[in-house]
Amino acid sequence: GWDVGSDTRSPAVVFMQFSKDGQLRVLHPSIQETGPSITVLGRRVQAAIGNYFTGHDVLHYGDPSGANKSATDNLSPFDILRREFGYFVMPSTQNPAVRRESVASYMLTLTGEGHPGLQVDPREENLIQGFMGGYQRSGDEGLRPLKNAYSHRQDCIQYVCAKVGRHRGTMIGRTYDVEHRYAVNAHTGY
C-alpha cells in the first residue's frame, strides 16, 4: 500500500500478504520518508522488494490523489513510480469511512483456522502503536485522519483493505453487531 498523494509530506509504503486461509498479514519492513521525494521512496521500496520479496508477485494499491498530475511537469507520483521503477499503482478509494470499515472487517474476522483476520509483524511498532490509539480522527474534519507520525502507514493499510476487501466479502455497508463494538475505538474508528 502506498500513501504518496501530492499533499503528503511523509510518503509511506506498507507491505502486506494474504495467507492461504485469508489472513491479511502486515509485513516488515514498512517504509516512510520525510520530505516529498517519491524517487527516494521508490528506491527504498525497490531495495526492500529485492531483499525480502524476490520471486513474489507484488501488487500496488495507493492513495488516489497519487494519480493527480503536477502543474510543473504534468507527471503524477504514480507516473514517476511507473516510469522509474515499473510499479503500476492502482488507486484505491478516498472515502475515509469505507477505508476504516474495510480494515475493521479484517480485525473483526477470524480465518477458517481461527486466527485473527489481520496480523501485524511485531517489529512494526509504529503500526501497532497506530492501531492502539496513535492513529486518530481529526476533531475538526470528522472522518478525516489526524496527520501525525502514525497516519501515513495506517492509510497505506486502509488503501489496500478497501481495494481488495471487496473480493473477500467484507462488511462494507453493513452495521456491526453491538456485541462486536467493544473492539472499535472511538478515536481511531478501529
Side-chain angles (χ1 to χ4, degrees), residues 7 27-28 39 41 43 69 73 95 99 114 118 133 140 143 150 152 169 172 175:
D7 62 342
L27 306 173
H28 178 77
T39 305
L41 181 65
R43 282 191 204 114
K69 306 280 187 192
D73 61 7
N95 183 321
R99 290 178 11 217
L118 180 72
D140 60 340
L143 295 176
Y150 308 102
H152 300 293
I172 293 175
T175 303

Side-chain angles (χ1 to χ4, degrees), residues 147-180:
K147 293 299 180 183
N148 61 21
Y150 308 102
S151 63
H152 300 293
R153 293 177 195 188
Q154 291 287 327
D155 287 348
C156 291
I157 294 171
Q158 291 180 13
Y159 293 131
V160 172
C161 288
K163 192 69 174 177
V164 300
R166 301 183 270 178
H167 304 297
R168 67 184 295 274
T170 65
M171 300 168 137
I172 293 175
R174 294 190 199 160
T175 303
Y176 298 119
D177 294 336
V178 174
E179 63 195 15
H180 293 291

Side-chain angles (χ1 to χ4, degrees), residues 40-63:
V40 171
L41 181 65
R43 282 191 204 114
R44 289 199 55 207
V45 168
Q46 187 177 47
I49 290 172
N51 289 332
Y52 297 98
F53 309 111
T54 300
H56 296 277
D57 293 331
V58 179
L59 300 175
H60 303 268
Y61 302 102
D63 181 350

Side-chain angles (χ1 to χ4, degrees), residues 60-76:
H60 303 268
Y61 302 102
D63 181 350
S65 68
N68 295 343
K69 306 280 187 192
S70 163
T72 56
D73 61 7
N74 202 34
L75 291 173
S76 71

Side-chain angles (χ1 to χ4, degrees), residues 2-175:
W2 294 78
D3 185 22
V4 296
S6 56
D7 62 342
T8 301
R9 300 284 183 240
S10 300
V13 170
V14 173
F15 294 97
M16 290 170 269
Q17 170 191 49
F18 280 104
S19 70
K20 290 180 182 177
D21 67 350
Q23 182 183 59
L24 182 59
R25 296 178 177 162
V26 180
L27 306 173
H28 178 77
S30 64
I31 301 169
Q32 186 166 344
E33 282 295 323
T34 53
S37 175
I38 191 66
T39 305
V40 171
L41 181 65
R43 282 191 204 114
R44 289 199 55 207
V45 168
Q46 187 177 47
I49 290 172
N51 289 332
Y52 297 98
F53 309 111
T54 300
H56 296 277
D57 293 331
V58 179
L59 300 175
H60 303 268
Y61 302 102
D63 181 350
S65 68
N68 295 343
K69 306 280 187 192
S70 163
T72 56
D73 61 7
N74 202 34
L75 291 173
S76 71
F78 291 173
D79 291 337
I80 294 167
L81 291 168
R82 186 172 33 256
R83 182 185 70 196
E84 299 293 323
F85 304 100
Y87 301 149
F88 291 87
V89 182
M90 293 172 268
S92 186
T93 181
Q94 195 62 283
N95 183 321
V98 170
R99 290 178 11 217
R100 266 194 300 283
E101 191 171 317
S102 65
V103 175
S105 73
Y106 284 97
M107 294 176 76
L108 297 172
T109 302
L110 294 177
T111 66
E113 308 262 328
H115 299 116
L118 180 72
Q119 180 181 25
V120 179
D121 187 299
R123 294 172 289 181
E124 290 300 322
E125 293 178 15
N126 176 279
L127 288 167
I128 293 167
Q129 293 288 328
F131 280 117
M132 298 300 293
Y135 180 80
Q136 300 178 7
R137 295 180 194 172
S138 173
D140 60 340
E141 297 183 36
L143 295 176
R144 297 251 177 238
L146 176 67
K147 293 299 180 183
N148 61 21
Y150 308 102
S151 63
H152 300 293
R153 293 177 195 188
Q154 291 287 327
D155 287 348
C156 291
I157 294 171
Q158 291 180 13
Y159 293 131
V160 172
C161 288
K163 192 69 174 177
V164 300
R166 301 183 270 178
H167 304 297
R168 67 184 295 274
T170 65
M171 300 168 137
I172 293 175
R174 294 190 199 160
T175 303

